[in-house]
Each structure stands twice: as structure tokens, then as C-alpha cells.
Amino acid sequence: MRTHIDGGWVVAFNGKSHEVYEAGSVVFEDDRVVHAGAAYTGPADARIAARGKLVSPGFINTHVHTAGNAGDYLLLDMAKNDYRTSNYMSFAAPLKGKMTPPPPQAVAAIRTFVFLHALKNGTTTIIDVGGLRGDWDGYAKLVDELGVRVYGSPPFRDRDTYMDAQGRLTYDEDMAVGRERLKEAVGFVKSFDKTANGRLRGMLNAAQVETCTERLLREGRDAARELDVPIHTHAGGNLIEFQRIMGEYRKTPIQFLADIGFLDDRSLIGHAVFTGGHPWTGHPFGDDARVRAGRGAPIGPGPCKHAKRAMTLRSFQRYLDAGVTISLGTDTFPLDIVSELRWASILAKTTDGNYQAGQHRDVFNAATLGGCRFIRRDDLGRLAPGAKADILLIDLDHIGAGMYADPIKALVDTASGRDVHTVIVDGKVLVHDGRLARVDEAEVYAKAREATRHYWGNVPNWRWDGAGVDQIIPPAFPLHRAD
Ligand SMILES: [Zn+2]
């Protein structure tokens, strides 16, 4: 079936870069684009009117956690009253043996919510860098049913993190457990890579640079190369990790990963904020940007999440100028990749004190072309004949957005995920008129809300000091809850 998207601002790819056509057309047949650019006058079986909308390639979100992005975000970003239990430590370092895994229906509810929340906000390729343990057959089934495009597998590590009763962070090393988890991930990739009409693809996830031994990182990298899939790890995301790696290997996390052969054009490094030369590290030595550029290793920052934790890349522009491939991820709530364009652009400017840094085209490229390289896809992140029909229609013509001359600048400066009108993945319309086409949104939300409440209610049971969510993250004002 041939569908004609007619009359919008079309972002077409000319083989080297994006260019924009006013009153242009995109035509796709089944799952592939057959035309993108100037107005199309040929026959079509269906027509989608796009006047007043940006017709954009779908965005690649290189930092999604199907585990934590429903309920953990609250703990993740806000628990700043105690740095040692902030970030992922806030939920991934419980008292030993006290955290029970959520029931399967809660896992499914949270995964469904995260996939669809990301989709509705403009993500058409979800890079899942660490999901919930358990029921990975169910995960594959969900990807198939929901119609989303996902790269993922169960994350692995061999140093689990705990707090003792005094709130001291401990790392519990068990190499056999790490190997089992890596085996599980490899098994998942072997079973499910290229299933769901090719929308589910395998990638390996070494959880964090400091929660994996050097041996496990090397084994994970070797397994990824053997499977011919990309690999991700978190590095340079917090100071505890930076100092641990410095203490263990006398190197920055990036230099360490480079020296063990982990960094290449198929390894994505989440965050990469704390590097040699970053003022917070107190380590005025080395040039991690050049180390990365030399190995073609891309980075996946989450500008909004970083800003919430008072951090930023130093800097977007510097990495760009050094030739580092930059992608964009959302990491924690909200998974709004459209707003992330603005965060990336603005933070680049304030960090460098230069309003010519973080240009609109560069952040748009990061969310499209930049996210495709490490997954080696030249049929995603662009609209051109032969590319996958992963397409967004984003509303620009409304009073809330304002007047504009350049739709890309309007997108970056004014839009958010709530302006996403239509989402097409693999030639299927999954969001229409801002609503999910295949599922009952209210039901998905209610189930995720229930699972999240259950999760929050359990926090005092595994938290080292027994504190509840309202104590860990005090509400903005005194809050009188109904229940
Ligand atoms: Zn993460």
C-alpha cells in the first residue's frame, strides 16, 4: 500500500544532510519510503494531510530504561539531599536481600508505559540500555504487539550494589553471576534479534563501567562482536564511579574503556559527562574527547537529566568539533526527545558562554543521524527513498507555538513531545492526532500508575534508613494526600 503524506514541511535527506521542503511530500510503500522532498503528483492509496506540520524522520532515543522510567525517576533525579544515594544508587543499592522483584503484571505494565510514553513523545527507535529483570519472552512479545522499534537485551554486571545499615555503599562482586547474566543476554539476542518484523534488535548492555569487572567488560565486548550487535555501558555519569575507576585502574573511565578495547564505533557510552578535564573531577589531565573521537565511539548524553543533577557535558560543541558522534537520550522522566533538542541546544550555549554553540541543525542531527551510527543503520533517522517509514508529524502551526520562518528552529525552540501529532513506525500509524492508535491509553496509564504506587509503597522495606518516598524527596509544599 502506497501512502502520501502531503503538504507539510518535509525534512528530506539528500545523501549527505537533511534539507527542508515547504509544502513537500513523503510517500511510503509498506515499510519503506519511496519519495521524500518536493510535492508528489503520482498515484497513492491513502493520503495523510500534513499542512502546518513538520514531517520529520523519527527520533532515535539512545537512553531509555524500561526498568526505571516509570517510577524510579522520582528517586533517580530528586534524591539530591544525599549524593551517595543519588542517581541510580537511589534504587539500585538497597539493603541486601530486602528488595523483592515486582510481580510480572507490574513489569509488563511499566514496560508498556515506557515504550508508549517514549513513542508518543516522538521516539521511533528506542535504545533500551537496561530493563527490568525477568520475563524477557514477554518483553519480545510486547515489542511485537505494540509496534515499537527497540534495541535491547537483559543488562549484565558482576558487582551488585548495596547499602549497609549505616547507608554505606558496597559493591558485592560475583563473577559467576555476571557470566550467567551475560549468557542470558546472549541467549536473548540469539532468540529474538530481528524478530517482530525486524523491529526488535539485539544489543548488549554492560550495566555500568564500575559494576562490571574488567573481565566481564572484555567478555561482553567479545560477545557483542561475535553476535555482530552494538554494546552500551554507562560511564562518566557520576563522581563515585569516576573516582572508583581512577582508584582501581589509575585512568579515567573513558581512557580505561579505550585501553581494554571496549570503545569502537559500535559501543555507545551513556552520559560521558565526567571526563579528564571536567572541573568536578579534580583530574586536570588527559583529553577524553580525543580518545573517543580517535576510536569513533559515540556518546549518548541526556541533557535534561544531566541538568537536573546540575551537570552538563563540557561540552557538546567541543565534542562535535573534535569529531565525536553525539546522539541524544532522555534517560529519566519525561521521555520527551523533542524537548531534549532544546535542552541540548541551550545547555551547549550556557556551558560554553557562546550562543553560537549547539546549533539547531547539530542537535537535530544528533537525534537522527547521530543515533544511527553505532547501530549501523543507514535506513533510520532520515527520510529518503529506501529508508524505513519511521516518520513523525509534529504540529507547528498553533498559537501556543508562535510564528516562525524556519520549522527546524521552531521545533527546537518551541516544541515539545505533546506537539507530536502522528507517529509512524515501519509504515504503521501508531499515534494519530496525538492519541495511541492500538491501545487504550487510559488503561495503560492506570496500570502503570498502580504498579508505580506499589513500588513507591515498598521503598521503606528496602531502603537502608527505612525512609519513604515523601521523606527522601520532600514535596514542594506541604502535601495533604487523599489516601
Ligand atoms: Zn541510564
Side-chain angles (χ1 to χ4, degrees), residues 29 67 160 189 204 230 242 272 278 291 308 316 354 393 425 431 438 461 473 475:
E29 193 152 337
D160 282 340
V189 173
L204 294 185
F242 185 91
H278 189 289
V291 169
K308 279 194 277 186
F316 182 95
N354 175 2
L393 271 64
V425 176
V431 175
R438 291 190 177 182
N461 299 333
I473 318 127

Side-chain angles (χ1 to χ4, degrees), residues 364-417:
F364 190 90
N365 283 340
T368 53
L369 307 172
C372 293
R373 294 209 184 113
F374 88 106
I375 52 175
R376 290 202 179 147
R377 295 293 294 263
D378 57 10
D379 61 347
L380 297 176
R382 69 207 70 197
L383 297 178
K388 280 281 183 187
D390 286 15
I391 306 166
L392 303 173
L393 271 64
I394 304 172
D395 260 326
L396 295 179
D397 285 17
H398 59 96
I399 284 182
M403 300 300 149
Y404 61 93
D406 176 342
I408 297 294
K409 292 190 175 180
L411 175 80
V412 174
D413 290 342
T414 74
S416 79

Side-chain angles (χ1 to χ4, degrees), residues 368-482:
T368 53
L369 307 172
C372 293
R373 294 209 184 113
F374 88 106
I375 52 175
R376 290 202 179 147
R377 295 293 294 263
D378 57 10
D379 61 347
L380 297 176
R382 69 207 70 197
L383 297 178
K388 280 281 183 187
D390 286 15
I391 306 166
L392 303 173
L393 271 64
I394 304 172
D395 260 326
L396 295 179
D397 285 17
H398 59 96
I399 284 182
M403 300 300 149
Y404 61 93
D406 176 342
I408 297 294
K409 292 190 175 180
L411 175 80
V412 174
D413 290 342
T414 74
S416 79
R418 289 188 204 169
D419 295 318
V420 174
H421 178 277
T422 300
V423 183
I424 300 167
V425 176
D426 221 35
K428 306 274 193 310
V429 177
L430 302 183
V431 175
H432 179 66
D433 207 5
R435 306 289 295 177
L436 291 163
R438 291 190 177 182
V439 298
D440 180 339
E441 282 193 13
E443 195 186 317
V444 168
Y445 190 82
K447 281 185 181 170
R449 178 97 187 137
E450 182 58 35
T452 301
R453 274 175 190 262
H454 178 78
Y455 174 87
W456 287 344
N458 261 327
V459 169
N461 299 333
W462 53 257
R463 171 94 182 170
W464 68 276
D465 56 359
V469 169
D470 278 352
Q471 285 167 279
I472 302 166
I473 318 127
F477 290 112
L479 182 53
H480 307 282
R481 298 194 190 278

Side-chain angles (χ1 to χ4, degrees), residues 22-23 43 49 54 94 117 161 182 221 305 332 361 416 420 479:
E22 185 174 6
L54 186 73
H117 172 72
T161 46
L182 173 58
R221 172 210 61 192
K305 184 249 169 69
T332 55
R361 65 154 190 264
S416 79
V420 174
L479 182 53

